[in-house]
Amino acid sequence: MLLAGLWLLALALAVRQAAAVLRLPQDERLVDLFAWIGDNGVLRVHGSLYDGDTPFTGTPFAGLVLKPLTRAAERGLGVAWTFGTMLLVAAVGVVAARALPDPVPRRTALFAVPAALSLLVLSVPVRNTFHLGQTSILPVLLVLTGWLVGGESRQQSGGKAATALAGKAGGVLIGVAGALQPATLLFVPLLWLTGRRTAAVSGAGTFVICTLATWAAMPGDSWTYWIHHVAGVGLGDPADATANQSLHGALLRAGLRGAPEVVLLVLLVTGVSWLALRRAVRYARDGQLLLAAAVVGCAAVVASPMAWQHQQLWVLPAVVGRVGRRTGDRLVWPVFVVMVMTLDGTALVPKVAAFGVLGENAVLLAALLASCAVPFLPRTSPAWADPQPSGLLSRPNLMLELLLIRVGYWAYSYVRGHAPDSRSLAEGHGDQILTVESFLHIDMEHSLNKLAARTEWLRDACDTYYTTFHFLVPIALLGWLYVRRVPLYRSARTALSFATLLGLVGFWLYPLAPPRLMPGLGYIDTAHGPQDLSNPDFGALTQLSNQYAAMPSLHVGWSLWCAIVVFLITRNRWLRALGALYPLLTTFVVMATANHYLLDAVGGVAVVAAGFLGQRWLARIRGDRTTAEPGADAEGRADGDTRADEDTGVNGDAGAEAANRAAPDVAQSGAPGPGDRGAAARGD
């Protein structure tokens, strides 16, 4: 059932992507393709490919190959091109999935192809290729096929003639890819260094033949591309645009220009290429052919003078590299790669100026890490197939936690911002809430709002509280739990995630206008002053986010989560009283500032309660007694219980050591216990 579901997901994503292109108007889909082959396109009219308002950005050989399409520049070409591109994407997925290093478990082999297709369709390079009508998928497919076919023939027993023929054929494919996308020529020295010298010679020869033939047919365009623009530099959009994720683009964005930039670029590109080739040769000899191709492909992205979004697909195959000796560390690299290749860079880092450069160069950073830095495990490593299990008492990987928290908050903001925001619907729900509260005699929001509005110190305190504590307190508690209470951190983090997810469902299903946006009721927005409710946009405020995401109140929900956590980690009465006061004070503030109704607060309590129930249900399924009963964690972890602090693993993996001390026979024998086998099977 899971396999069928994954295939259905891959098919649905592919259909959705094709539909997203084909339903666009003729002048808005495949914009690069139709700009080149249209009535006045550079591939259709006589003259240079690189003149005009929309110059060609590919090699002259690519232009020569595409020119026959100008005779078919009609409406039907868009459909054929879209489905042809989809077939190329599917071929790349199948080739990559079949190149996983042996031994491949049966379950992995079954799931590899649909998983690869889903990731490809979701990736930014493929989506960009569909939108623009570019040909960047073809060089990737040619290189992967040529590299893998020749490499597999050498690893398998067979005749020398068959091996030589496969090597030559692989070299030809790589040479054609180099004629289409010159940066892929970096695979030619890889062929030579791995002992496939016949393939290297045939690849270089094919590139030279294709380029010289094009030079003979189109001398002016060849001179413009190879000499005047130095392999296409400067064609298309400005090289310092953030979409150009090459070292050249990064140096230009950093402010370097002229000779210093060229000298530094040459030195960096040479160093990256040399290091990437050395690493790729090592992985190829280890039998990890796909990883070797990904390493060199990432170096090609870095070294290319122009690496636009549709040319960055080489980073995605690097997801197959295994990193880390613990099960809890194995997910960090693949999660990072998938996030970089499917999300905008700004979704990966906080909206802080200091982190802006990381977001702008996220793909370049991933390519540099894959080609030069990430210590991928060889198959000879004991941790390759048998990583150390990460038990419940071991601390989760911090990088993975930060990535998931950041992207989780981005998803929260995205869903909240795109939830239904019909004014009439939201105001109608507001009338429903006020009617129910009036019937129950709990409609106290207006009185509290008037009190805060006419009391200056109370108004300022409430506004500061509302905008500050909502994030500061939960983050501080999560950080403290991560350092001091690892088992409770896991359960509390899961409960908070479930609660927030349920909150998003509430935002989507029940858009609700908060009191401050209800017309004619006299509520005052204490933070922004009176709103012009006659303006459909409600002024500049509603341009920031969806203002109708009020039910449930996650301000109250998160504050209740904080109170429960404080109750679990301490027996100190004053701290518990302070924790209990926090959600009560938050409820007062959200009503006094006219941001929520009392029933919104009840909704926040409900989603947190459901979040903890969901966490306990998940823990029971996994058989985690420690996290299934978080209250038990507090019994042995009162303030001053230093032994409990040691057992939770304050430093490193002391918690795992404590678990080993509890089962000395298992620890001495080196065999995993039942809990370890379960954790290993689950992958943390």
Side-chain angles (χ1 to χ4, degrees):
M1 290 180 64
L2 185 59
L3 179 61
L6 194 55
W7 271 109
L8 287 175
L9 175 63
L11 179 62
L13 291 173
V15 171
R16 179 184 179 277
Q17 182 61 62
V21 175
L22 296 177
R23 70 168 173 247
L24 291 173
Q26 178 79 20
D27 57 345
E28 295 182 16
R29 70 184 187 209
L30 307 174
V31 289
D32 282 357
L33 177 65
F34 282 110
W36 297 335
I37 65 176
D39 294 336
N40 297 315
V42 293
L43 292 175
R44 194 177 183 90
V45 301
H46 296 289
S48 174
L49 295 177
Y50 305 106
D51 292 336
D53 297 333
T54 314
F56 191 62
T57 57
T59 63
F61 177 75
L64 188 64
V65 171
L66 288 175
K67 266 188 175 295
L69 292 177
T70 57
R71 298 179 181 178
E74 62 221 10
R75 184 177 300 273
L77 178 62
V79 177
W81 190 275
T82 300
F83 284 101
T85 303
M86 186 64 70
L87 291 177
L88 291 178
V89 172
V92 170
V94 172
V95 170
R98 291 178 60 86
L100 294 176
D102 293 329
V104 181
R106 180 176 178 274
R107 184 172 60 179
T108 301
L110 288 174
F111 286 90
V113 174
L117 295 179
S118 299
L119 288 178
L120 283 169
V121 176
L122 286 173
S123 66
V124 173
V126 170
R127 301 202 311 262
N128 198 265
T129 296
F130 273 104
H131 173 67
L132 298 177
Q134 285 281 356
T135 60
S136 53
I137 301 296
L138 183 58
V140 175
L141 178 60
L142 292 174
V143 170
L144 278 180
T145 304
W147 165 249
L148 295 173
V149 169
E152 290 174 352
S153 65
R154 289 174 60 86
Q155 294 180 0
Q156 297 172 355
S157 58
K160 292 184 178 180
T163 301
L165 181 61
K168 289 180 180 179
V172 169
L173 293 178
I174 292 176
V176 173
L180 294 171
Q181 199 173 95
T184 57
L185 287 175
L186 196 57
F187 280 87
V188 172
L190 176 63
L191 293 172
W192 185 274
L193 293 174
T194 52
R196 297 163 60 181
R197 299 191 174 182
T198 302
V201 172
S202 64
T206 301
F207 169 76
V208 171
I209 292 173
C210 292
T211 303
L212 291 179
T214 308
W215 199 291
M218 308 166 65
D221 289 330
S222 297
W223 175 272
T224 300
Y225 183 87
W226 291 109
I227 306 300
H228 180 67
H229 283 287
V230 190
V233 176
L235 294 174
D237 294 335
D240 60 352
T242 55
N244 179 20
Q245 289 291 295
S246 67
L247 269 177
H248 179 53
L251 292 177
L252 292 178
R253 289 191 291 273
L256 291 177
R257 294 290 189 278
E261 190 267 338
V262 174
V263 172
L264 182 58
L265 177 63
V266 171
L267 292 175
L268 290 176
V269 166
T270 302
V272 169
S273 301
W274 175 79
L275 185 56
L277 286 171
R278 285 194 59 184
R279 285 162 53 86
V281 169
R282 185 166 67 250
Y283 296 129
R285 290 173 177 169
D286 187 52
Q288 302 187 63
L289 295 178
L290 181 59
L291 178 58
V295 168
V296 176
C298 288
V301 172
V302 172
S304 176
M306 310 291 281
W308 301 113
Q309 285 182 323
H310 56 87
Q311 299 169 331
Q312 298 163 11
L313 187 59
W314 283 111
V315 180
L316 189 58
V319 75
V320 302
R322 298 190 184 184
V323 186
R325 301 185 179 277
R326 298 191 315 156
T327 55
D329 301 331
R330 282 292 172 88
L331 290 177
V332 179
W333 174 248
V335 167
F336 173 71
V337 171
V338 170
M339 288 180 176
V340 167
M341 298 310 296
T342 57
L343 301 176
D344 184 80
T346 57
L348 302 174
V349 295
K351 293 183 179 180
V352 180
F355 295 100
V357 65
L358 297 178
E360 291 179 355
N361 300 285
V363 176
L364 173 61
L365 177 61
L368 282 171
L369 290 174
S371 58
C372 302
V374 177
F376 298 113
L377 293 173
R379 291 197 301 167
T380 55
S381 171
W384 166 266
D386 190 22
Q388 300 173 3
S390 298
L392 296 174
L393 296 178
S394 63
R395 187 168 291 110
N397 186 283
L398 180 59
M399 182 60 67
L400 181 60
E401 294 294 301
L402 292 177
L403 277 174
L404 294 178
I405 289 174
R406 170 57 199 165
V407 175
Y409 179 72
W410 173 84
Y412 162 79
S413 302
Y414 181 86
V415 173
R416 175 180 172 131
H418 289 78
D421 58 356
S422 168
R423 175 178 177 179
S424 59
L425 180 62
E427 291 177 355
H429 289 162
D431 290 331
Q432 292 176 3
I433 294 292
L434 289 172
T435 300
V436 173
E437 289 191 348
S438 177
F439 176 77
L440 299 175
H441 301 287
I442 57 174
D443 50 339
M444 62 183 74
E445 298 88 358
H446 196 270
S447 299
L448 296 178
N449 180 237
K450 290 176 60 178
L451 174 64
R454 67 171 179 259
T455 310
E456 183 177 357
W457 68 266
L458 181 60
R459 181 187 65 231
D460 294 341
C462 289
D463 291 343
T464 302
Y465 183 105
Y466 183 82
T467 57
T468 304
F469 286 79
H470 179 49
F471 297 105
L472 181 61
V473 177
I475 291 176
L477 272 176
L478 282 172
W480 191 90
L481 289 174
Y482 182 84
V483 174
R484 300 295 301 274
R485 298 286 188 267
V486 177
L488 184 55
Y489 168 80
R490 293 176 180 272
S491 59
R493 169 253 278 154
T494 304
L496 182 62
S497 301
F498 279 148
T500 305
L501 180 62
L502 291 174
L504 295 179
V505 174
F507 297 160
W508 196 278
L509 297 180
Y510 196 78
L512 174 63
R516 58 185 174 81
L517 295 183
M518 289 294 291
L521 299 183
Y523 287 98
I524 298 175
D525 186 343
T526 60
H528 303 92
Q531 296 295 302
D532 182 10
L533 300 182
S534 62
N535 185 342
D537 294 329
F538 296 118
L541 177 64
T542 55
Q543 298 178 6
L544 301 177
S545 65
N546 181 7
Q547 299 298 300
Y548 298 139
M551 172 61 83
S553 170
L554 288 184
H555 278 78
V556 174
W558 288 6
S559 64
L560 177 61
W561 175 87
C562 294
I564 295 173
V565 169
V566 169
F567 182 85
L568 293 175
I569 64 178
T570 183
R571 290 178 178 174
N572 186 290
R573 294 180 179 179
W574 291 104
L575 290 178
R576 285 187 168 185
L578 186 62
L581 181 62
Y582 180 44
L584 297 177
L585 189 58
T586 301
T587 303
F588 171 83
V589 167
V590 298
M591 291 191 294
T593 56
N595 280 284
H596 287 284
Y597 306 95
L598 181 59
L599 287 182
D600 296 345
V602 175
V605 172
V607 296
V608 168
F612 275 100
L613 289 175
Q615 176 272 320
R616 291 172 65 88
W617 171 77
L618 180 63
R620 287 194 180 96
I621 292 178
R622 297 177 57 182
D624 302 345
R625 291 179 57 85
T626 306
T627 56
E629 301 176 4
D633 183 75
E635 293 298 325
R637 304 183 188 281
D639 294 344
D641 190 346
T642 57
R643 183 175 60 81
D645 286 341
E646 293 171 357
D647 289 345
T648 54
V650 177
N651 299 310
D653 288 331
E657 295 174 5
N660 289 335
R661 290 197 299 270
D665 295 337
V666 174
Q668 291 173 7
S669 66
D676 291 336
R677 285 194 291 269
R682 292 189 304 272
D684 194 26

